[in-house]
């Protein structure tokens, strides 16, 4: 006995057997029953959803001598029998993909002049009509506009946008829907039962998802899987045959990410790649999984899931453990990976970094050594700054407090933080330290109208200092300048003070405009250096750079990169401590 593939063997022969297009088939049946037929119809939609099949059923019903009350063809009259035996002279099919020239259309138009010998209408089905050439469309247009009364055209296409607007405006348009997973699974169950094939519902779900909304594709995949499984469709055999990644991997990745187990995710990814799966497809599948979890979290969006009921339950269960913020951030991270994947030269590394970022979304920022998240300096020195002040530190705070209200203070932030602690007798908070914090800016803004500090500041100390200490104090001073000097501080932060002869300091300025701004606060700058370096003998001079002295001004990050290139020990220390430059 000749073998017939399922897509042909179980092709619908009536409107009632068409799957997933109930609204459309109902409209066509009503048109047949009432006799109100248009002269041209346009069936459009994705591949394998029944466009040509419905066109044939509709053409048979139009010419049926005794249609049923529901608008179906009787299947017994001469017109129906001739159609079933493929000898009907009233129904013509043209494949426009291979017959798209003007001559083919003109030959078809000649056929429209001859009235039908049996039945009421001559029906012309033109499949893939978007493949017609522009000249063929123009030749077809006049006949389509004023066809003979006994002619009906049914056009089918997968790409409606390629059809001329003048053609579309003369047709009744029917948009076919994609097959849902549930409809496809139900149809595959029927086919499997008729063929005597055992199946697991999860296996049919994989086939339905692989078909991506096309029933013809689903039946073709079903035949392939049935041949591989020898009449027993199991989930494991189907995913092996179709080379589909097990959905449990995606559930496992999200569970591990919620527990911040990045290392376990790396092991799982290695196993996936070792089985021949592409990293980009894995990220795409994981993004689709996260999207489904997000849809399952809200009862209003559960209907947007294109999965089986069993999968819906699994998504809903995982959605209970995921916060909307986690799901949204995970989608953003994976979308960025998908965009950059093709341009990446190290695709595996990109996928690994993406999964590590997903695993860190719910991680506490300040837990030392948690997961693979880099530790910031504030977490390394938390214990140091949370300790109570010693007696010596308290005395230093008391000594500096007297100068606080009378000078424009650019002192180090640690001293100011200690003063706040001494006043309140509360533990020192981490966010009170560093080079940018709001309380310092508020306090310095109130000093913006104070007169410039005199250059002759007397601390009674004459301690020595190195050029490195000078530059450190300079940078700290620039960072703590008041709000109205933000522009100046940003520019002088990149200047590097040098000691020409201890304790003489020289600063070379790149342009006259910046030099003029610096000279306005020269006294404040010297007073700050004297106080922080504890040396009354400091003298500071500013001059404009000569032409040969001008070079590229390096930022602090560029200086650090240059330092690590010259000294490997610095890079090793950063890696060993897990530090990052902020």
């Amino acid at each position: 006995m000749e073998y017939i593939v399922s897509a042909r063997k179980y092709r619908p022969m009536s409107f009632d057997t068409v799957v997933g297009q109930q609204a459309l088939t109902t409209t066509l049946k009503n048109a047949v029953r009432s006799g109100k037929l248009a002269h041209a119809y346009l069936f459009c939609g994705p591949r394998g959803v029944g466009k040509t099949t419905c066109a044939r059923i509709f053409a048979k019903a139009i010419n049926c001598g005794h249609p049923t009350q529901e608008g179906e063809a009787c299947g017994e009259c001469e017109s129906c029998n001739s159609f079933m035996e493929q000898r009907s002279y009233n129904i013509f099919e043209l494949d426009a993909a291979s017959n798209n020239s003007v001559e083919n259309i003109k030959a078809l138009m000649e056929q429209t002049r001859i009235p039908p010998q049996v039945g009421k209408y001559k029906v012309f089905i033109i499949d893939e009509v978007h493949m017609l050439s522009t000249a063929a469309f123009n030749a077809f247009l006049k006949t389509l506009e004023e066809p003979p009364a006994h002619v009906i055209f049914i056009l089918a296409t997968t790409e409606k946008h390629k059809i001329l607007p003048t053609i579309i405006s003369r047709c009744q348009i029917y948009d076919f829907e994609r097959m849902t997973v549930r409809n496809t699974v139900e149809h595959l169950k029927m086919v499997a039962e008729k063929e005597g094939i055992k199946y697991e519902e999860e296996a049919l779900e994989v086939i339905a998802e692989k078909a991506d909304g096309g029933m013809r594709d689903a039946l073709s995949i079903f035949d392939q899987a049935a041949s591989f499984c020898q009449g027993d469709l199991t989930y494991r055999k189907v995913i092996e045959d179709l080379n589909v990644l097990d959905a449990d991997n995606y559930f496992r990745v999200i569970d591990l990410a919620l527990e911040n187990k990045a290392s376990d995710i790396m092991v799982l990814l290695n196993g996936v790649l070792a089985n021949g799966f592409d990293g980009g497809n894995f990220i795409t599948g994981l993004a689709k999984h996260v999207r489904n979890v997000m849809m399952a979290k809200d009862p209003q969006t559960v209907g947007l899931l294109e999965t089986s009921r069993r999968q819906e339950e699994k998504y809903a269960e995982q959605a209970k453990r995921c916060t909307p913020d986690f799901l949204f951030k995970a989608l953003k991270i994976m979308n960025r990976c998908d965009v950059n994947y093709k341009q990446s030269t190290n695709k595996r590394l990109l996928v690994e970094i993406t999964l590590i970022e997903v695993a860190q979304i719910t991680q506490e920022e300040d837990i030392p050594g948690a997961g693979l998240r880099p530790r910031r300096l504030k977490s390394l020195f938390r214990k140091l700054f949370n300790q109570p002040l010693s007696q010596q530190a308290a005395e230093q705070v008391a000594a500096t407090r007297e100068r606080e209200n009378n000078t424009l203070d650019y002192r180090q932030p640690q001293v100011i933080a200690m003063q706040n602690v001494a006043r309140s007798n509360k533990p020192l908070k981490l966010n009170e330290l560093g080079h940018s914090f709001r309380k310092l800016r508020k306090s310095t803004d109130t000093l913006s109208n104070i007169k410039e500090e005199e250059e002759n500041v007397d601390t009674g100390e004459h301690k020595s200092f190195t050029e490195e200490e000078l530059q450190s104090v300079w940078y700290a001073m620039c960072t703590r300048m008041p709000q109205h000097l933000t522009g100046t501080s940003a520019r002088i932060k990149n200047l590097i003070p040098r000691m020409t002869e201890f304790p003489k300091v020289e600063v070379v300025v790149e342009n006259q405009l910046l030099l003029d701004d610096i000279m306005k606060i020269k006294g404040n700058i010297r007073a700050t250096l004297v106080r922080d370096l504890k040396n009354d003998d400091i003298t500071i001079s500013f001059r404009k750079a000569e032409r040969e002295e001008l070079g590229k001004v390096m930022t602090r990050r560029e200086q650090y990169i240059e330092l690590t290139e010259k000294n490997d020990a610095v890079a090793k220390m950063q890696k060993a401590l897990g530090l990052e430059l902020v």
Side-chain angles (χ1 to χ4, degrees):
M1 184 176 178
E2 182 183 1
Y3 172 73
I4 302 177
V5 297
S6 298
R8 291 179 55 199
K9 186 176 180 179
Y10 296 98
R11 191 169 195 168
M13 301 303 295
S14 64
F15 286 123
D16 289 338
T17 56
V18 176
V19 180
Q21 311 293 343
Q22 283 74 19
L24 186 147
T25 55
T26 300
T27 305
L28 294 178
K29 286 193 294 184
N30 292 338
V32 173
R33 185 175 58 183
S34 63
K36 297 179 179 178
L37 301 173
H39 68 279
Y41 296 85
L42 176 61
F43 293 173
C44 46
R47 68 182 190 279
V49 295
K51 299 184 297 297
T52 306
T53 297
C54 283
R56 291 177 178 176
I57 297 173
F58 188 41
K60 183 175 67 171
I62 287 173
N63 278 320
C64 179
H66 308 286
T68 64
Q69 293 183 354
E70 291 77 17
E72 295 276 9
C74 67
E76 298 176 356
C77 65
E78 174 59 25
S79 177
C80 292
N81 289 332
S82 62
F83 175 81
M84 297 294 295
E85 296 171 5
Q86 298 182 359
R87 56 181 176 84
S88 175
Y89 289 98
N90 293 339
I91 300 175
F92 298 87
E93 286 192 43
L94 177 70
D95 180 18
S98 56
N99 301 280
N100 55 8
S101 64
V102 177
E103 289 74 17
N104 298 128
I105 293 299
K106 286 183 177 180
L108 187 67
M109 296 303 101
E110 290 294 329
Q111 297 289 331
T112 63
R113 299 181 180 180
I114 305 172
Q117 301 301 314
V118 179
K120 302 177 182 178
Y121 299 95
K122 270 194 172 182
V123 182
F124 294 86
I125 301 173
I126 305 179
D127 203 5
E128 303 296 338
V129 68
H130 66 275
M131 299 291 288
L132 290 177
S133 63
T134 303
F137 269 128
N138 292 330
F140 179 49
L141 183 60
K142 184 62 177 176
T143 304
L144 184 65
E145 184 177 5
E146 297 178 359
H150 60 267
V151 173
I152 293 178
F153 291 103
I154 303 177
L155 315 179
T157 180
T158 56
E159 301 182 46
K160 183 173 67 173
H161 61 279
K162 291 185 178 180
I163 302 177
L164 295 179
T166 50
I167 298 291
I168 295 178
S169 64
R170 289 167 171 81
C171 301
Q172 281 190 11
I173 302 173
Y174 290 81
D175 290 304
F176 284 68
E177 300 177 357
R178 295 172 66 252
M179 296 294 167
T180 64
V181 173
R182 293 177 184 174
N183 287 338
T184 304
V185 169
E186 293 300 322
H187 190 65
L188 292 178
K189 286 181 180 180
M190 181 271 295
V191 173
E193 290 171 358
K194 289 187 176 182
E195 292 293 325
I197 298 175
K198 298 179 181 179
Y199 62 86
E200 291 181 0
E201 188 168 347
E202 290 183 351
L204 299 182
E205 292 168 3
V206 172
I207 295 175
E209 292 177 4
K210 183 77 172 179
D212 193 27
M215 184 61 74
R216 183 174 61 239
D217 292 352
L219 291 170
S220 299
I221 297 171
F222 174 82
D223 288 344
Q224 174 187 338
S227 177
F228 176 79
C229 300
Q230 292 296 307
D232 186 9
L233 293 175
T234 63
Y235 176 76
R236 291 296 171 186
K237 288 182 179 179
V238 168
I239 63 174
E240 179 184 355
D241 177 47
L242 302 181
N243 196 31
V244 175
L245 186 61
D246 189 353
D248 289 341
N249 289 293
Y250 299 136
F251 284 100
R252 180 65 176 157
V253 168
I254 299 303
D255 288 338
L256 293 173
L258 293 174
E259 299 174 5
N260 310 128
K261 295 182 178 179
S263 57
D264 291 345
I265 295 178
M266 293 299 100
V267 174
L268 187 150
L269 173 65
N270 184 68
V272 169
L273 298 179
N275 288 330
F277 293 98
D278 180 68
N281 292 337
F282 178 75
I283 291 296
T284 302
L286 184 60
K288 181 180 178 182
H289 172 84
V290 174
R291 177 260 182 195
N292 288 342
V293 174
M294 180 177 288
M295 295 301 104
K297 196 167 185 66
D298 191 336
Q300 295 182 349
T301 56
V302 171
L304 301 179
L305 293 178
E306 296 184 359
T307 58
S308 63
R309 295 189 183 276
R310 185 176 302 179
Q311 284 291 93
E312 278 188 13
E313 294 173 359
K314 295 178 67 175
Y315 284 128
E317 182 181 351
Q318 189 169 74
K320 294 177 182 178
R321 302 192 299 271
C322 300
T323 63
D325 183 64
F326 167 80
L327 297 173
F328 177 70
K329 289 182 178 178
L331 283 175
K332 288 184 63 177
I333 293 171
M334 287 182 285
N335 182 66
R336 184 173 68 244
C337 175
D338 183 50
V339 171
N340 298 329
Y341 188 79
K342 290 185 178 180
Q343 291 77 25
S344 175
T345 56
N346 192 339
K347 292 179 168 47
R348 173 163 182 162
L349 180 60
L350 176 62
V351 173
E352 290 176 341
I353 292 175
T354 299
L355 294 177
I356 291 173
E357 289 180 343
V358 173
Q360 292 179 349
I361 293 176
T362 60
Q363 181 173 297
E364 292 290 339
E365 182 177 356
D366 292 326
I367 298 178
L372 299 179
R373 196 185 187 94
R375 294 175 293 167
R376 296 182 180 272
L377 287 176
K378 64 179 185 178
S379 62
L380 293 176
F381 297 105
R382 174 190 290 277
K383 293 183 179 180
L384 174 63
F385 292 126
N386 278 338
Q387 292 177 354
L389 292 178
S390 63
Q391 181 66 28
Q392 182 180 0
E395 293 176 357
Q396 293 178 355
V397 170
T400 56
R401 189 181 300 169
E402 297 178 0
R403 296 191 297 269
E404 183 180 23
N405 297 324
N406 299 322
T407 61
L408 182 57
D409 201 348
Y410 300 156
R411 289 166 293 169
Q412 295 186 8
Q414 288 86 348
V415 176
I416 296 175
M418 289 178 182
Q419 292 181 2
N420 294 334
V421 172
R423 293 175 185 146
S424 61
N425 290 325
K426 296 180 179 179
L428 181 59
K429 295 183 179 179
L430 196 62
N431 57 12
E432 294 176 352
L433 300 177
H435 297 305
S436 58
F437 50 94
R438 298 177 180 176
K439 290 185 178 180
L440 178 60
R441 287 203 178 277
K442 290 181 180 179
S443 63
T444 52
D445 287 343
T446 60
L447 303 176
S448 57
N449 296 323
I450 295 180
K451 296 180 179 179
E452 284 193 22
E453 192 168 357
E454 296 296 332
E455 294 190 33
N456 299 324
V457 177
D458 186 8
T459 64
E461 297 180 286
H462 306 277
K463 292 185 178 180
S464 61
F465 56 88
T466 64
E467 194 167 75
E468 288 75 12
E469 293 173 335
L470 168 65
Q471 295 174 4
S472 177
V473 170
W474 178 273
Y475 182 81
M477 174 192 68
C478 296
T479 307
R480 299 190 307 276
M481 282 188 176
Q483 187 71 33
H484 70 283
L485 295 176
T486 301
T488 303
S489 66
R491 288 180 292 168
I492 70 175
K493 189 181 296 183
N494 292 323
L495 300 180
I496 302 177
R498 304 289 186 185
M499 280 197 299
T500 56
E501 181 181 356
F502 184 83
K504 296 180 180 180
V505 177
E506 182 184 58
V507 180
V508 179
V509 185
E510 57 188 18
N511 57 70
Q512 185 63 43
L513 183 61
L514 179 58
L515 180 60
D516 294 340
D517 291 340
I518 293 176
M519 295 306 294
K520 296 177 182 178
I521 56 174
K522 176 181 178 182
N524 301 97
I525 294 176
R526 180 188 177 278
T528 302
L529 296 181
V530 167
R531 182 166 48 251
D532 289 350
L533 294 174
K534 296 180 175 55
N535 192 313
D536 291 347
D537 302 326
I538 292 178
T539 60
I540 183 169
S541 61
F542 301 90
R543 66 176 178 85
K544 183 181 176 182
E546 302 294 337
R547 183 180 298 274
E548 57 273 9
E549 292 178 307
L550 291 175
K552 180 183 177 182
V553 179
M554 300 177 66
T555 63
R556 292 292 175 177
R557 182 176 290 276
E558 292 173 338
Q559 294 175 14
Y560 174 76
I561 294 175
E562 182 180 3
L563 178 62
T564 56
E565 291 176 351
K566 294 180 179 179
N567 192 339
D568 294 339
V570 177
K572 291 179 180 178
M573 180 189 69
Q574 179 193 8
K575 184 176 181 180
L577 295 178
L579 302 177
E580 64 177 8
L581 188 64
V582 294

